[in-house]
């Protein structure tokens, strides 16, 4: 979602990460074992590759977008009672269904469960009905390490004009992430949410944590545009990664304990290629994600040539693969080139964005740091204008065409 690989944030974060080599759980000096051949085929609770492929054959090739309705600036505005907009959601998912999309990646939020409990889960249930009526099986995301780490319920911020995704919020927020004495709240959220829907065939799979090794903090992002509340004392990119690593492990454990019929996964992300064996945070997160996920998921906003290299190194795991974030047109990550390759390889494809709305993700990442006065001619993300017209009919025609053809999987 937030790119540090080749974008404007690389110099800031690279400087902070030089020399950072940590291992948790009393293994500070232990090296990370070689990925690939060293990753076990089966670990406790994890699906076997045979189970994963049965799931893939039952569901077929999946194509969709990361979704928030045009009326919502973030996850909270999507789900709160006062701004919950089922009619608009049904309209937008209808546009997706019409062009052949069959999934949406949708972000939940711990604050919603903590404040409303079953009322929130009832709203999720209603959302799943809307999805089913539009032939869409969503991916439900439990936690998110990206963007603004300070948030509150109630009225959400007004969009900063001409700025990419200006109101997106992390889950949990910094206050809760750095206070482990309150993690029982997060445990209750995960256990009760997954348990409520653990046998629900309207859900495609559970995505435990969006880009957990994305170590952004608010002071690194658009400081001239956003004035945040103070972050917790001692919070910095290093300490954030440590806390998220602990929570990621617990989230896999909590979700797995409920034994859902849907697969559980977490996407690998970032500059680290899966062959990296160094004792770095990226290597640690990638190792945990690959060893703990039933199906392999990843994010990549590079060209199709780079995605080919990246994906080829994931095929060794002999499991279904889904790219759950791609498409940044101005960075040469284009639906028209990437989607045919993913289809050829039998890799699922979920681009960022569906409809251009309050999240303003048609604007590029660099709009955080520079001033824009109009929407770019080349949209960064999103498929549709707010009236349902396709941004590029070649893209929507390609989705229809590829969805009509058989898929060969690389087993």
């Amino acid at each position: 979602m937030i790119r540090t690989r080749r974008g404007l944030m690389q110099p800031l974060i690279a400087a902070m990460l030089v020399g950072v080599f940590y291992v948790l759980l009393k293994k500070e000096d232990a090296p990370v074992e070689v990925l690939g051949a060293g990753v076990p085929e089966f670990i406790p609770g994890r699906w076997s590759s045979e189970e994963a492929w049965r799931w893939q054959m039952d569901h077929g090739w999946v194509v969709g977008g990361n979704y928030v309705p045009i009326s919502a600036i973030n996850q909270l505005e999507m789900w709160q009672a006062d701004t919950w907009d089922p009619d608009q959601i049904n309209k937008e998912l209808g546009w997706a269904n019409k062009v052949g999309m069959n999934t949406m990646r949708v972000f939940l939020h711990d604050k919603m469960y903590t404040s409303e409990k079953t009322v929130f889960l009832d709203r999720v249930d209603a959302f799943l009905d809307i999805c089913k009526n539009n032939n869409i099986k969503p991916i439900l995301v439990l936690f998110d390490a990206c963007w603004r780490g300070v948030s509150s319920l109630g009225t959400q911020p007004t969009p900063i004009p001409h700025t990419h995704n200006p109101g997106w919020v992390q889950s949990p927020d910094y206050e809760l992430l750095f206070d482990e004495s309150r993690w029982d709240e997060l445990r209750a959220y995960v256990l009760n949410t997954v348990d409520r829907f653990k046998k629900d065939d309207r859900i495609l799979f559970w995505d435990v944590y969006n880009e957990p090794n994305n170590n952004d903090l608010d002071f690194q992002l658009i400081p001239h545009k956003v004035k945040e509340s103070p972050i917790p004392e001692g919070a910095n990119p290093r300490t954030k990664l440590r806390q998220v690593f602990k929570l990621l492990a617990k989230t896999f454990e909590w979700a797995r304990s409920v034994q859902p019929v849907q697969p559980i996964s977490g996407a690998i992300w970032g500059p680290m290629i899966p062959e990296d064996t160094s004792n770095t945070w990226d290597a640690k997160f990638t190792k945990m994600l690959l060893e703990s996920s039933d199906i392999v998921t990843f994010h990549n906003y590079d060209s199709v040539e780079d995605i080919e290299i990246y994906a080829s190194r994931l095929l060794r795991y002999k499991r279904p693969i889904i790219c759950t974030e791609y498409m940044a047109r101005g960075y040469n990550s284009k639906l028209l080139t990437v989607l045919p390759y993913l289809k050829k390889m039998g890799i699922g494809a979920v681009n960022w964005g569906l409809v251009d709305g309050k999240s303003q993700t048609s604007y590029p990442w660099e709009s955080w740091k520079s001033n824009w006065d109009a929407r770019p001619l080349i949209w960064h993300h999103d498929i549709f204008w707010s009236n349902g017209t396709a941004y590029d009919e070649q893209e929507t025609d390609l989705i229809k065409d590829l969805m009509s053809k058989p898929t060969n999987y690389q087993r």
Side-chain angles (χ1 to χ4, degrees):
M1 182 190 305
I2 296 175
R3 314 318 306 163
T4 63
R5 180 174 183 180
R6 294 185 176 177
L8 67 144
M9 300 312 303
Q10 186 176 7
L12 279 170
I13 295 180
M16 294 179 179
L17 290 182
V18 171
V20 177
F21 300 101
Y22 293 87
V23 177
L24 301 177
L25 306 177
K26 299 181 181 180
K27 297 182 180 179
E28 283 79 0
D29 299 319
V32 175
E33 75 178 79
V34 176
L35 300 178
V39 176
E41 165 60 20
F42 180 81
I43 61 175
R46 184 192 189 204
W47 285 10
S48 68
S49 60
E50 289 78 10
E51 290 174 299
W53 280 112
R54 282 197 297 270
W55 173 87
Q56 177 71 85
M57 295 301 106
D58 287 343
H59 290 84
W61 191 51
V62 295
V63 174
N66 283 262
Y67 179 69
V68 63
I70 62 173
S71 54
I73 194 172
N74 59 26
Q75 314 92 305
L76 297 175
E77 196 163 41
M78 175 178 178
W79 292 112
Q80 288 184 131
D82 289 347
T83 47
W84 166 245
D85 196 348
D87 292 339
Q88 184 64 36
I89 292 170
N90 184 62
K91 181 191 298 184
E92 294 174 15
L93 296 189
W95 298 336
N97 178 40
K98 188 175 180 180
V99 301
M101 289 181 165
N102 57 12
T103 192
M104 288 289 136
R105 185 167 177 254
V106 180
F107 294 73
L108 310 181
H109 201 287
D110 65 280
K111 286 183 187 288
M112 291 304 309
Y113 177 81
T114 302
S115 65
E116 295 188 349
K117 304 290 193 300
T118 58
V119 174
F120 165 59
L121 298 183
D122 289 344
R123 206 168 293 131
V124 175
D125 195 286
F127 174 76
L128 293 174
D129 275 342
I130 297 172
C131 288
K132 184 175 181 179
N133 291 338
N134 288 286
N135 301 309
I136 285 171
K137 287 193 175 187
I139 302 159
L140 297 186
V141 185
L142 295 170
F143 292 126
D144 189 351
C146 288
W147 205 215
R148 300 171 73 166
V150 179
S151 62
S152 59
L153 297 169
T155 303
Q156 296 302 297
T158 300
I160 302 169
H162 312 298
T163 302
H164 176 96
N165 214 3
W168 200 259
V169 292
Q170 298 186 34
S171 172
D173 64 12
Y174 292 150
E175 180 181 2
L176 187 47
L177 178 65
F178 283 89
D179 186 357
E180 294 185 42
S181 69
R182 294 178 55 199
W183 280 13
D184 280 349
E185 298 173 30
L186 301 177
R187 179 178 180 273
Y189 158 61
V190 173
L191 289 177
N192 290 304
T193 300
V194 178
D195 186 66
R196 168 76 176 262
F197 302 107
K198 67 180 180 181
K199 295 183 179 180
D200 200 319
D201 65 3
R202 296 173 296 176
I203 295 172
L204 188 63
F205 69 88
W206 298 97
D207 189 332
V208 293
Y209 216 130
N210 181 58
E211 296 188 357
N213 52 322
N214 195 326
N215 66 342
D216 65 271
L217 288 169
D218 292 322
F219 62 79
Q220 296 174 290
L221 302 170
I222 57 172
H224 67 294
K225 294 187 177 185
V226 175
K227 301 297 183 183
E228 291 284 22
S229 302
I231 62 176
E233 184 178 354
N236 56 54
R238 180 192 65 195
T239 56
K240 180 188 174 185
L241 288 173
R242 179 185 297 124
Q243 291 301 106
V244 173
F245 192 87
K246 293 178 183 178
L247 182 56
L248 176 63
K250 288 184 176 295
T251 306
F252 270 116
E253 177 187 339
W254 295 334
R256 188 74 70 194
S257 71
V258 179
Q259 298 183 314
V261 299
Q262 312 94 345
I264 298 169
S265 187
I268 62 171
W269 167 86
M272 204 278 293
I273 295 296
E275 288 188 335
D276 189 337
T277 61
S278 61
N279 188 18
T280 66
W281 275 118
D282 281 327
K284 298 178 204 310
F285 276 99
T286 296
K287 182 175 184 292
M288 179 188 290
L289 291 164
L290 287 173
E291 288 187 354
S292 303
S293 295
D294 298 319
I295 60 175
V296 174
T297 54
F298 73 100
H299 297 175
N300 193 298
Y301 285 98
D302 291 320
S303 69
V304 66
E305 292 80 11
D306 286 334
I307 289 181
E308 288 178 10
I309 296 170
Y310 203 87
S312 69
R313 292 170 179 167
L314 296 176
L315 292 171
R316 73 181 64 169
Y317 296 97
K318 304 298 182 182
R319 288 176 178 267
I321 304 175
I322 300 176
C323 178
T324 51
E325 285 191 31
Y326 80 101
M327 195 179 75
R329 296 181 183 92
Y331 288 73
N332 207 28
S333 176
K334 300 176 181 179
L335 186 147
L336 292 174
T337 55
V338 173
L339 192 62
Y341 168 75
L342 296 178
K343 173 69 172 183
K344 181 179 73 172
M345 303 304 293
I347 297 172
V350 185
N351 65 267
W352 187 271
L354 184 67
V355 185
D356 182 44
K358 289 178 75 172
S359 66
Q360 299 179 167
T361 53
S362 60
Y363 286 86
W365 298 309
E366 57 260 32
S367 63
W368 300 328
K369 289 288 188 180
S370 56
N371 294 319
W372 292 63
D373 57 11
R375 183 181 287 104
L377 294 177
I378 298 177
W379 282 15
H380 191 65
H381 300 319
D382 299 327
I383 300 296
F384 296 103
W385 291 86
S386 59
N387 64 2
T389 301
Y391 163 73
D392 185 343
E393 287 190 0
Q394 291 184 77
E395 293 178 344
T396 51
D397 287 345
L398 177 63
I399 295 170
K400 293 177 188 177
D401 179 58
L402 294 177
M403 289 299 291
S404 70
K405 296 178 179 179
T407 305
N408 296 315
Y409 298 99
Q410 307 297 313
R411 301 183 60 177

